[in-house]
Amino acid sequence: MNPITRLNPPTLPNAADMGYSQISIVAPGRMAYVSGQVAWRPGGEPVPAGLVEQMQLVAANAKAALDAVGASPQHIVVARLYVVDLTPERLEALMPAFLATFEGAQPCVTGVGVAALAAPDLQVEMELVVRLPD
């Protein structure tokens, strides 16, 4: 049994064409809530200056968190993306790296424009809700 059912009902815009789902139905089971991942590295190396490079590192950190709990992108229920100074152009620039995080899965997605994140050099942050595999 698949622990997550994805829906894009005809009464809502078809989010599948954009790479996510309007609704995710989760079977009972253990859940993991992954704190917002940013472009920080375990060794403390500098944060990349570019938005796309930061999104790639955020995605890598999110995948490391999934690995740590024995999950894969297919187990993501919801991904929330926080972007400093969100504009259509900035969103378009980071979407390929953001969607690559999911490896074809289409979780529910929320994008939020923010004035700032935890440090002045951070431009993007992603938090996840994950239904752990049985």
Side-chain angles (χ1 to χ4, degrees):
M1 178 176 124
N2 185 354
I4 303 173
T5 302
R6 313 283 188 194
L7 297 176
N8 283 295
T11 54
L12 293 172
N14 186 357
D17 292 344
M18 293 179 275
Y20 66 97
S21 297
Q22 290 286 4
I23 300 167
S24 292
I25 301 170
V26 182
R30 293 181 33 215
M31 303 293 292
Y33 300 86
V34 179
S35 290
Q37 297 301 303
V38 295
W40 287 338
R41 303 172 217 231
E45 296 87 349
V47 172
L51 176 64
V52 173
E53 293 79 10
Q54 284 198 25
M55 186 65 241
Q56 291 167 338
L57 186 51
V58 167
N61 287 345
K63 287 183 181 181
L66 291 173
D67 288 345
V69 296
S72 73
Q74 309 306 320
H75 299 105
I76 299 170
V77 179
V78 176
R80 290 183 192 91
L81 192 67
Y82 304 92
V83 184
V84 174
D85 299 324
L86 181 61
T87 64
E89 296 77 21
R90 286 172 63 79
L91 185 61
E92 184 177 337
L94 67 77
M95 282 307 284
F98 174 63
L99 292 175
T101 308
F102 309 129
E103 299 176 357
Q106 295 188 339
C108 292
V109 169
T110 299
V112 181
V114 297
L117 293 170
D121 53 352
L122 297 174
Q123 299 182 58
V124 62
E125 181 170 348
M126 180 171 47
E127 67 177 317
L128 304 173
V129 175
V130 180
R131 198 292 193 172
L132 298 175
D134 295 325

